Amino acid sequence: MPSWLPGMRITADRISVSSAQAEDPTLGRTTTSTTYTDVTAGAFSCSVVVPMSGVVMVSVRATGRNSTTTNTITSWQGVGSVSGTVYSPNDSAALIWSGNNVTNLSLGLRYRLSGLVPGETLTVTTKHRVSGASTATFDHRSIQLEGAPA
């Protein structure tokens, strides 16, 4: 829902709220990188038009495992078509699998991203890494983007 001010005209661009979802159910996507990167086969992303509120709810989910006892870590990057990079992948807000060959543990996170430019296109891309010499394997990933109130 948009925020309304006295005297504000109600127009379609103020009441329409965009949402988008992308899913990658492909088995066996991997990375051995210790810095945030895309997995084999390239980037996985989803885009949405930012509503008048300038707020988008970002939900990221991944199913993965690791070949050793090191961590498998998934975060995301947000880039606005006008704003540029608005969110960078980081360990403080990431999905972290610990342990040796945990059988396809599925984790998800939800984040409120505000201060975006209304009308710009926001693209969210998952980024992955490991904490040491190992291979992280992903068998499912999804991104959901929803316009939200201010």
Side-chain angles (χ1 to χ4, degrees), residues 61-120:
R61 185 170 186 84
T63 302
R65 62 187 179 281
N66 198 300
S67 64
T68 69
T69 58
T70 63
N71 294 334
T72 296
I73 305 166
T74 294
S75 190
W76 56 281
Q77 179 176 20
V79 177
S81 58
V82 174
S83 304
T85 300
V86 293
Y87 189 88
S88 296
N90 66 83
D91 291 354
S92 295
L95 307 172
I96 301 176
W97 294 261
S98 296
N100 187 8
N101 264 335
V102 174
T103 305
N104 280 353
L105 180 61
S106 202
L107 297 173
L109 63 80
R110 188 163 167 88
Y111 186 87
R112 184 178 188 274
L113 188 59
S114 61
L116 302 169
V117 175
E120 78 175 327

Side-chain angles (χ1 to χ4, degrees), residues 125-143:
T125 305
T126 58
K127 298 293 181 181
H128 310 278
R129 74 179 197 85
V130 293
S131 62
S134 64
T135 300
T137 303
F138 299 91
D139 291 331
H140 184 270
R141 300 178 296 164
S142 66
I143 302 170

